[in-house]
Amino acid sequence: MDGVDTNLDNAEPQSIATSLEVEQLDKNLFRSKTLWLPMRARGVFGGQVISQAVVAASNCVNPDYSLHVSPPYTVRVANDL
């Protein structure tokens, strides 16, 4: 999977800022630069995906607005196409 870190030698945690980086592809369209895949996991770490979504959303609105609620919903595993 592109952008997913599965290298066991790279087990040290990245800085929070680096792990939350997103690349802007178009207006209101972002892509993750890195995703952490825990060992023996079925998918990437959901907390990182949710945090990257918050970062992307923050880049789409006026800086006067800020996140005030973040409900703790769980992201389910998607099926491979």
Side-chain angles (χ1 to χ4, degrees):
M1 290 177 17
D2 291 336
V4 176
D5 186 4
T6 57
N7 184 358
L8 294 179
D9 295 333
N10 193 12
E12 289 187 33
Q14 299 174 332
S15 74
I16 291 175
T18 302
S19 67
L20 298 183
E21 286 181 347
V22 291
E23 172 187 9
Q24 186 166 8
L25 302 175
D26 200 356
K27 182 180 179 184
N28 300 332
L29 180 62
F30 295 84
R31 175 175 50 199
S32 172
K33 288 189 174 184
T34 61
L35 289 172
W36 180 53
L37 181 62
M39 191 163 70
R40 298 186 184 148
R42 294 181 301 171
V44 297
F45 181 61
Q48 182 182 15
V49 174
I50 293 168
S51 298
Q52 288 174 339
V54 169
V55 169
S58 298
N59 289 329
C60 293
V61 297
N62 186 317
D64 294 337
Y65 296 102
S66 64
L67 180 68
H68 63 283
V69 174
S70 178
Y73 294 116
T74 303
V75 178
R76 296 191 69 189
V77 175
N79 292 331
D80 291 336
L81 297 177

